[in-house]
Amino acid sequence: MHRLLVALLAALDAILAAAGGIAVVLAPLALLWVVGVGSPDWGALWPTTAAVWHLGHLVPITVTLPDTYLAATGIDPSFASFTLSLAPLAFATFTALFAARSGARAGEAGAALSGWLSGSVVFAGIATLVALTGNAALVASETWPAILLPSLLFLVPSFVGAIVGAWRVGDGGPIDALRERVERLPGAWATVPALALRGLALTTLGLVGVGGIVVVVGLIARSTQVIGIYQASNADAIGATVIALGQLMYLPTLVLWAVSFVAGPGFALGTDTAITPAATQVGALPGIPVLGAVPDSTSSWLLLLVLLPIGVGALAGWILRSRMPVTTDPEPIGPRLTLTVVVAALTGGAGALAALVSAGSLGPGRLADTGPQPGPLALALGLEVLLGLAILLLSPRFGAAADDLPPRVRDERDETPELSFSPRAHVPFDRDEHATGPAPLVSAPGTGIASDVWPSAYRGPEDADHAPSTALDDDEVRARIRAAWANPDDGDKGPAGRR
């Protein structure tokens, strides 16, 4: 595909990614402005939309409450201005996935660099436009983070997708050169880089799946508390809809909190709080219904949740082991050990990144510290996944090849009797020795089989008149065959003497 066309398609992908995220915020807010607000201030619609979009792309926003609101609610003036940085990761996830898919298409089309640069520049331009026009008196964000962080959320996944796409189909350049160098590595070492990345993808998807299951189980188990907080909010239909949409945007954040809970370090919901399987220390929580799923107390049985990350590592190890080359020689320990350590380290790094993006400030005062800590989560996930990987990757392989069978089984296989035949000497064919009568006449090409080849019993009555005079009748043929088989003195010349 032409590079210019790839660049234009990548730019269109960037526009759709940015416009999709903005539309998800703008449409419900516009409906709320029309239906729920008596005298809407349309000038505040775009800054509010930009603030939510920025927050969803990891940009901290500063909220300043007006004096009239402070006087009406009785809030301490010291809390009039605070930073909100806990990101609703649904926006960042959508942008990252869209960017990765765009980069992969550009790489598969043979124009990875053009597509990556085009999409990244266009998305950065849109982020700049939103940053310069989205500030207001109530909500504002710093300009450079508002440009840089959304741009990175598109640029980095797009680059990774472009590399993966070019690796799949080849680019005739540096990616192919790197792939050739990797494939020239000796033995099983050539598969280690690709398997390490595959292992990272497997462990990441497995842990996210575990976190999602824990969130669903928690919501079902504590549904009474969740419904009670909904009822206590006294929200009407519009307010309940806004609360539900907001919690839906925070669903990926809650999943990452659940991963940290399962791994052991847990997460915080305010200063000096901790929610872990071993113990729970929670103060007053904000009136957000989904936080009703947070357990008030823990049980020692919850410590068994640590087996889930170990099981994810074991499953990833089994899949990676099945894709390693099978050899008749003893498997080298070096590639398997390296693969185990690298995948565990990458998983720990992914855990640290997950903790970093899912932590932040949820409000003023003690709510400024929420979410998991990167260091403990990275260490816990790395060690647990390392244990699961080691169980399958470092154990002996059984039943992989015939040469890997136990000696007793190999001996039984070797003792299995086989059919054998003695060699037979080559004897030239002698037409005179096998002749039992005159040679049949061969018909001309295209005329079929000569009639005199067939015995008289197989000839039709109409062929009798055309039979040659030298043809033998059936009785004479049978007599000659009996005479040839009944002569015992011919030795090797007779049919009975030839074996």
Side-chain angles (χ1 to χ4, degrees), residues 153-419:
L153 280 174
F154 190 94
L155 183 146
V156 175
S158 178
F159 178 77
V160 174
I163 295 298
V164 172
W167 185 277
R168 289 175 180 172
V169 302
D171 65 339
I175 301 299
D176 285 346
L178 177 62
R179 185 167 186 171
E180 291 178 359
R181 293 187 62 180
V182 170
E183 291 176 350
R184 285 199 298 266
L185 293 175
W189 288 103
T191 62
V192 169
L195 289 179
L197 296 178
R198 186 185 296 272
L200 174 62
L202 291 172
T203 55
T204 302
L205 292 177
L207 291 172
V208 169
V210 168
I213 293 173
V214 171
V215 170
V216 172
V217 172
L219 290 174
I220 295 175
R222 294 182 58 84
S223 58
T224 304
Q225 288 77 6
V226 174
I227 295 174
I229 297 176
Y230 259 115
Q231 294 175 345
S233 64
N234 294 322
D236 55 5
I238 296 177
T241 302
V242 172
I243 293 174
L245 291 176
Q247 293 177 140
L248 186 62
M249 295 298 102
Y250 275 97
L251 183 59
T253 307
L254 298 177
V255 169
L256 296 184
W257 286 7
V259 171
S260 183
F261 180 81
V262 169
F267 56 95
L269 279 176
T271 305
D272 298 329
T273 63
I275 296 93
T276 67
T280 298
Q281 181 180 356
V282 184
L285 296 177
I288 301 175
V290 73
L291 295 182
V294 175
D296 297 329
S297 60
T298 57
S299 171
S300 57
W301 289 102
L302 290 178
L303 295 175
L304 295 178
L305 289 175
V306 74
L307 296 177
L308 295 177
I310 297 176
V312 169
L315 178 61
W318 174 69
I319 296 175
L320 296 179
R321 187 66 179 275
S322 64
R323 293 180 176 274
M324 297 190 73
V326 179
T327 60
T328 56
D329 299 329
E331 287 186 292
I333 190 65
R336 291 183 288 146
L337 181 61
T338 302
L339 183 60
T340 302
V341 174
V342 170
V343 173
L346 291 176
T347 304
L353 180 61
L356 188 64
V357 300
S358 63
S361 173
L362 190 56
R366 57 185 298 271
L367 293 179
D369 184 15
T370 57
Q373 296 294 324
L377 181 58
L379 181 61
L381 285 181
L383 292 178
E384 290 160 4
V385 172
L386 177 66
L387 178 58
L389 288 168
I391 294 174
L392 271 299
L393 277 177
L394 301 183
S395 60
R397 191 200 297 259
F398 296 101
D403 293 335
D404 293 333
L405 295 174
R408 182 179 59 82
V409 179
R410 287 202 305 267
D411 294 341
E412 292 177 358
R413 290 167 59 95
D414 294 339
E415 293 175 1
T416 302
E418 298 180 357
L419 297 177

Side-chain angles (χ1 to χ4, degrees), residues 19-31 45 48-53 91 249:
I22 294 174
V24 168
V25 184
L26 184 60
L29 286 180
L31 183 62
L45 179 59
T48 304
T49 302
V52 176
W53 189 79
F91 294 97
M249 295 298 102

